Amino acid sequence: MNTTTLAPDAAAERAPTERTAAAAPGGMAAEAPHNAKAPKAAKTPNDREGFRQAMSWLHNWAGLILGWLLFAIFLTGTLSFFRSEFNLWMRPEMHGLQPVDAADPQVAQTAQKALDALVRKVPNVTQWIMHLPDDRDPAVNILWRGTGNGRFETLRMHPQTGEAIDTRQTMGGDFFYRFHFELRTAQKGRWAIEGRWVVGVATMLMFVALISGVITHRRIFKDFFTFRPTKGGQRAWLDAHNVTGVLVLPFYLMITFSGLMIFHSLYMPAGIATAYKGEKGVDSNAYFADLQGEKAESRPRRGATDKVEPLPAIALHSILTEARTRWDGGRIGSVQARRDAKGRAVVEVTRHEGDRLQYRPPRLLFDATTGQWLDQADATSPAVKTYGVLYGLHMARFADTGLRWALFGFGLLGSLMIATGMVLWSVKRSAKSHTQASRKGAANAADAATPRAPFGERLVAAINIATLAGLPLACGVYIASNRLIPLGTEGRADVELAWFFSAWGLALLWALACAVVRPSRMGWSVPLGAAGLVWALLPVINALTTHTHLGTTLPAGEWVWASMDLAFLATGLLLGWLSWRLRPGLAPKGKAAAAKAPRTSTAAALPAAPDVSVSTSGA
């Protein structure tokens, strides 16, 4: 990637012509050939800009206002495609569990063993949700609570014995997932709703930027095939932004619109209030029952202090066998036991999310005491099915390994699209500042060579560095902390998050020092180099602290574990290469170097174009 900004040629080529015309007797008209075109009249202040120009303005500012936040949302959302794999790798105590096929009839026996172990550990449980093992997670995961409306606690059970597995405290990949849509900063965050509002505003601005970007680019299909990195500067960054923006544009539109639709009840409650108006106000319980294909009268309404009777003994094996029969051998994803609105104990069996695109999957209701089938809950109305398909597309839980990697690549392209847009904005402002400085002249030769950019421009460049280079560093430090923090540390999961935000904060301080105090390309190369080093060392740290290293997992063919270490190593090499390419003193090559060469004699009359390679953008 060439990082040299092209000096603006337009002003250099126009100025000598204008001066020659002014000096000629009778002006330009006297010297012009007969076939020369008359110069275009300058626009008057009353001329209105076209629709495309207005969309260009909207595209630039919609992307800039929350572009840094959008990059963080998009990157962590991309990592969330492998949320289960991160959860597994960051709990090495689960290594060695024999995988259980979710379609295997023996999964009912596995569920019964886990339930028996839960009842022995928590005799008075009032509600539990059991996620059965599959090809991505070999453990039985149980969420349970002993009060009517308290927080759920989590247990992970051995799929063969049913006993609890003592794993380290960590959020694992759930942190990337939660940060992606609610900016989670702690394991039990308090500001989830506020975070979802902030993410919603940012997502709406991205949707606006996508639509206005399509309108702005007249040659959108030509830009798909145009990438000129050797030109350097604005042209290279613009081509990179266009290519990454156009390449998988349908994916960006889908992922953005569906992300807004998931929380439509939070962002657009007016429609619900109009359609579900009851005697005591808005009947939101009826709305969500319709949305999930349930009966409103069966949904319990309990307060945090309401007492709930413990669940009775449940013959889970027979219930799951009946569910598999009704689904013609379909996979079972989860099982939930609770009391309905009438106080009756019921068991809800949910089909595996990978069996269909639409979210949520169908559920079967059974009487917990007798095991008798009661009802099936499934959304069938066109509007709800459309919503479920959008939800399912966004979550991509239907995707197999190959499709998940494809979606992961699309997500990385989206992150690059946002990143190149932010850098392009900074590069263009840097070139504009240098052009203005060249026209006005400088007090001495040194100032003319490196004019100081405005504070706002330097601040934007600093935040670019902190976000685009600092976030990969913070993610690598977070994963490394999972192996380096002692297992007995109190509040260990929150300590891991403290490492993440501390590394990100240090990257911000470094960026402010390098871009605001003393502009230098060191601002980019150092955090990118540190991020590359951390990611490349993750397999080494893993080998020194656990037995789940590549020397064990590769010979055993445990590809879920091995692929994580290999992906970490590849990420480290890529970040290290970027750091090397952005190192200070790198000489530009190709056409970018020619752009910095002395101009022709007519252009040489102007003040020398500054070396933009030391601009605040660092690009």
Side-chain angles (χ1 to χ4, degrees):
M1 177 170 50
N2 199 300
T3 58
T4 307
T5 302
L6 289 174
D9 295 336
E13 294 174 356
R14 283 198 308 264
T17 305
E18 293 170 358
R19 284 194 295 269
T20 304
M28 180 178 290
E31 301 292 331
H34 294 290
N35 59 350
K37 293 182 179 179
K40 294 182 180 179
K43 289 186 177 181
T44 64
N46 293 329
D47 289 339
R48 295 182 178 180
E49 60 180 0
F51 178 67
R52 184 173 285 110
Q53 286 75 19
M55 289 297 100
S56 177
W57 177 91
L58 181 61
H59 177 77
N60 290 337
W61 287 102
L64 176 69
I65 291 174
L66 291 175
W68 303 294
L69 179 60
L70 282 171
F71 177 80
I73 293 170
F74 225 89
L75 182 61
T76 52
T78 300
L79 295 176
S80 298
F81 283 125
F82 290 98
R83 169 189 175 189
S84 296
E85 287 72 19
F86 274 108
N87 284 337
L88 189 62
W89 190 90
M90 297 179 76
R91 293 181 176 92
E93 296 83 6
M94 294 172 60
H95 179 258
L97 298 182
Q98 295 299 320
V100 177
D101 188 356
D104 193 330
Q106 295 299 321
V107 76
Q109 188 176 1
T110 299
Q112 186 66 58
K113 290 181 179 179
L115 177 58
D116 294 341
L118 172 66
V119 172
R120 289 195 298 269
K121 187 177 183 66
V122 190
N124 296 322
V125 63
T126 62
Q127 182 181 0
W128 52 261
I129 303 172
M130 180 187 300
H131 296 279
L132 297 178
D134 58 14
D135 55 339
R136 300 183 66 189
D137 190 346
V140 182
N141 296 279
I142 300 181
L143 290 83
W144 63 272
R145 60 185 177 189
T147 59
N149 200 25
R151 283 184 179 272
F152 279 100
E153 302 293 335
T154 304
L155 282 174
R156 288 174 177 81
M157 322 295 277
H158 197 287
Q160 277 72 43
T161 65
E163 297 301 321
I165 305 172
D166 187 16
T167 61
R168 63 189 63 195
Q169 294 183 16
T170 179
M171 284 194 70
D174 291 337
F175 167 64
F176 298 129
Y177 173 70
R178 290 287 175 179
F179 186 88
H180 160 66
F181 70 89
E182 64 185 20
L183 306 180
R184 179 70 66 92
T185 57
Q187 186 177 24
K188 297 180 179 179
R190 297 181 178 179
W191 313 105
I193 300 300
E194 291 80 0
R196 293 178 185 185
W197 268 107
V198 174
V199 171
V201 172
T203 306
M204 177 57 73
L205 284 177
M206 181 171 181
F207 193 65
V208 170
L210 287 172
I211 299 299
S212 57
V214 171
I215 298 172
T216 299
H217 294 127
R218 291 175 296 179
R219 300 176 300 175
I220 187 169
F221 294 105
K222 182 179 180 181
D223 289 340
F224 178 83
F225 301 99
T226 305
F227 183 41
R228 293 159 285 186
T230 58
K231 281 185 172 291
Q234 293 183 43
R235 175 50 57 190
W237 285 110
L238 181 60
D239 285 350
H241 184 62
N242 289 338
V243 168
T244 55
V246 176
L247 191 60
V248 285
L249 179 61
F251 171 79
Y252 303 148
L253 293 172
M254 179 276 295
I255 209 73
T256 306
F257 181 71
S258 60
L260 288 170
M261 286 302 298
I262 287 175
F263 296 110
H264 68 282
S265 60
L266 178 65
Y267 306 142
M268 300 178 291
I272 302 173
T274 302
Y276 289 84
K277 187 178 297 184
E279 297 179 357
K280 299 181 180 180
V282 180
D283 190 2
S284 59
N285 193 67
Y287 171 73
F288 287 109
D290 289 346
L291 193 65
Q292 298 178 14
E294 300 175 356
K295 295 179 180 179
E297 58 271 15
S298 65
R299 292 173 60 88
R301 301 184 180 184
R302 299 190 183 98
T305 59
D306 292 348
K307 292 184 179 181
V308 182
E309 291 295 323
L311 292 170
I314 300 174
L316 194 58
H317 188 281
S318 61
I319 291 176
L320 296 185
T321 302
E322 174 68 14
R324 284 179 51 82
T325 302
R326 289 183 174 272
W327 284 331
D328 295 328
R331 294 184 295 173
I332 297 174
S334 63
V335 187
Q336 178 180 182
R338 55 180 171 81
R339 291 192 178 273
D340 61 11
K342 299 178 181 179
R344 177 180 54 179
V346 296
V347 173
E348 181 179 283
V349 183
T350 304
R351 192 159 181 173
H352 196 280
E353 294 175 340
D355 282 357
R356 78 173 183 182
L357 172 60
Q358 180 184 337
Y359 186 87
R360 297 181 53 181
R363 285 96 64 209
L364 295 175
L365 293 177
F366 295 86
D367 187 290
T369 305
T370 64
Q372 181 183 0
W373 176 74
L374 300 175
D375 196 7
Q376 173 167 316
D378 191 13
T380 57
S381 68
V384 175
K385 290 180 71 173
T386 301
Y387 168 77
V389 169
L390 287 173
Y391 202 138
L393 284 171
H394 191 93
M395 302 297 288
R397 292 176 180 172
F398 62 91
D400 58 11
T401 302
L403 184 55
R404 269 199 311 277
W405 275 110
L407 293 173
F408 180 82
F410 295 165
L412 287 183
L413 285 174
S415 302
L416 286 174
M417 175 191 65
I418 299 170
T420 52
M422 300 306 298
V423 173
L424 177 62
W425 190 94
S426 189
V427 167
K428 290 175 68 176
R429 293 307 181 277
S430 178
K432 184 177 180 180
S433 297
H434 287 301
T435 302
Q436 292 175 349
S438 299
R439 287 177 176 176
K440 293 179 180 179
N444 51 63
D447 291 340
T450 56
R452 191 171 181 82
F455 175 79
E457 181 183 311
R458 286 178 282 134
L459 182 61
V460 168
I463 303 178
N464 274 349
I465 295 171
T467 304
L468 309 183
L471 183 57
L473 172 62
C475 291
V477 168
Y478 167 69
I479 299 172
S481 70
N482 178 262
R483 297 295 195 258
L484 299 177
I485 298 174
L487 298 181
T489 303
E490 184 178 357
R492 190 178 184 279
D494 287 332
V495 175
E496 288 182 358
L497 301 189
W499 281 45
F500 172 87
F501 289 106
S502 296
W504 205 357
L506 289 175
L508 175 60
L509 293 177
W510 169 263
L512 290 173
C514 289
V516 176
V517 179
R518 186 178 180 183
S520 170
R521 279 173 59 182
M522 287 285 290
W524 284 101
S525 61
V526 170
L528 284 174
L533 181 63
V534 171
W535 281 90
L537 287 178
L538 284 176
V540 179
I541 297 173
N542 183 38
L544 295 176
T545 55
T546 70
H547 62 282
T548 61
H549 51 80
L550 289 172
T552 301
T553 57
L554 277 179
E558 297 171 329
W559 293 110
V560 174
W561 296 87
S563 61
M564 295 297 290
D565 280 333
L566 294 175
F568 295 158
L569 181 60
T571 302
L573 293 177
L574 176 61
L575 292 171
W577 176 79
L578 288 175
S579 174
W580 176 257
R581 290 290 298 161
L582 293 173
R583 71 189 186 277
L586 179 65
K589 298 179 181 180
K591 296 180 180 180
K596 297 176 66 175
R599 302 294 180 185
T600 59
S601 57
T602 55
L606 295 177
D611 183 359
V612 191
S613 64
V614 294
S615 67
T616 57
S617 68

